[in-house]
Amino acid sequence: MTEKQTGGVQSVHRALDLLERIAQISDGARLSDLAKDAGLAVSTTHRLLTTLEQRGFVQSDASSGRWHMGQRAFAVGSAYAKQRSFVAPALPFLRRLRDITRETANLGVIEDGEVVTLSQVESREIMRAISPPGGRVPVMCSGMGKAILATWEDDAIDRLIDLHGLRAMTSHSLTSRNAVHDEIARIRERGFALDDEEFVLGLRCVAAVVWGPQGEAACAISVSGLAARLTPEKVAETGAEVTRLADELTGVLGGHPPAR
């Protein structure tokens, strides 16, 4: 792309693209693979990575030839969460939720039609489901996303669908406007949301909304785990626990549901 096409500085776009690619690979990325995936020459890729390394955003492992995220990237990314006043108070609740359910506990918000995971406490189970902090999920495929959407007016949900569409991640994903509104009605009735293998097959997520001081949906918390453990029978029990702790966190934040 040219600078005119991207509306920005090409080298910055390329460097950030490499940073995002490295962030997606937990055991590090090879230079040749990064260059191929980004459609760049190896020499250009190496020059960009070297610059990022000088600033502490990535680091190279000479023994393996792989590139990893650097400490500076973590510090900058953490600043985003720190600006959300509910992230730090939520951490003890996420730990309690993890200990009660033995599954991974998450906190997220809606941003640009997707749910962004801001904080997480991992399950201690050997087989556990993890979408790491900073990960993004289509809002209609996320328990946390649907929990927040259930607090919106129906016309606002329609506008979100018009803007971002309905991305199907699995055969269980919601793909029609009517299906979305039927699901939202169920969430409002039972008080918690469910991602029933809609983002990843074999994974379920149970979520509830956390209210802010202005009667707005500040965020949502959830439990995610393998469907084999989060059975349909256990979903209702887990939903009650998630809702209870979401209500307690709402109280700590000085929040409340909107007046009807």
Side-chain angles (χ1 to χ4, degrees):
M1 287 186 182
T2 65
E3 292 185 16
K4 183 177 181 180
Q5 288 174 316
T6 62
V9 178
Q10 187 181 57
S11 59
V12 175
H13 281 288
R14 288 174 168 176
L16 292 176
D17 184 50
L18 291 173
L19 196 62
E20 289 177 345
R21 292 174 189 274
I22 293 171
Q24 295 170 0
I25 305 174
S26 59
D27 58 348
R30 296 186 183 278
L31 173 63
S32 57
D33 292 335
L34 287 169
K36 181 179 178 181
D37 291 344
L40 299 173
V42 171
S43 58
T44 300
T45 304
H46 187 266
R47 186 167 62 251
L48 291 167
L49 290 173
T50 300
T51 302
L52 288 171
E53 186 175 35
Q54 291 171 351
R55 296 295 303 271
F57 284 89
V58 301
Q59 57 187 27
S60 58
D61 183 345
S63 62
S64 67
R66 294 179 180 272
W67 291 82
H68 302 266
M69 298 299 291
Q71 184 275 335
R72 186 61 182 162
F74 174 79
V76 171
S78 297
Y80 176 80
K82 289 177 182 177
Q83 292 172 4
R84 305 285 183 138
S85 60
F86 47 77
V87 174
L91 189 56
F93 291 89
L94 296 182
R95 291 189 181 119
R96 286 170 57 192
L97 194 54
R98 184 273 311 274
D99 293 342
I100 290 169
T101 65
R102 301 180 62 84
E103 302 292 354
T104 297
N106 315 279
L107 178 146
V109 296
I110 291 179
E111 182 179 274
D112 295 331
E114 296 180 310
V115 170
V116 181
T117 301
L118 296 182
S119 186
Q120 183 179 83
V121 177
E122 295 181 15
S123 167
R124 295 191 177 98
E125 298 291 334
I126 295 176
M127 293 292 291
R128 57 185 186 266
I130 299 175
S131 175
R136 305 179 75 95
V137 178
V139 66
M140 299 299 181
C141 299
S142 162
M144 291 190 290
K146 290 193 286 185
I148 295 173
L149 282 186
T151 71
W152 293 16
E153 298 293 337
D154 289 346
D155 59 348
I157 297 173
D158 283 331
R159 287 195 296 272
L160 184 76
I161 295 172
D162 291 339
L163 184 61
H164 296 285
L166 294 171
R167 291 164 55 193
M169 306 301 292
T170 75
S171 58
H172 294 248
S173 301
L174 303 178
T175 56
S176 73
R177 195 179 302 264
N178 287 340
V180 168
H181 284 292
D182 288 345
E183 177 72 355
I184 293 299
R186 285 190 289 269
I187 295 167
R188 290 168 178 166
E189 181 177 354
R190 71 186 174 215
F192 65 86
L194 174 65
D195 156 20
D196 191 7
E197 302 186 66
E198 294 160 58
F199 179 55
V200 176
L201 289 175
L203 170 67
R204 288 195 175 104
C205 178
V206 183
V209 70
V210 176
W211 298 97
Q214 307 303 316
E216 79 286 5
C219 59
I221 60 174
S222 73
V223 165
S224 58
L226 300 183
R229 290 199 299 261
L230 279 177
T231 61
E233 295 77 20
K234 196 171 181 181
V235 163
E237 175 186 336
T238 303
E241 292 292 350
V242 175
T243 301
R244 179 175 65 83
L245 289 178
D247 290 343
E248 289 187 22
L249 178 55
T250 292
V252 168
L253 297 177
H256 59 84
R260 297 296 183 184

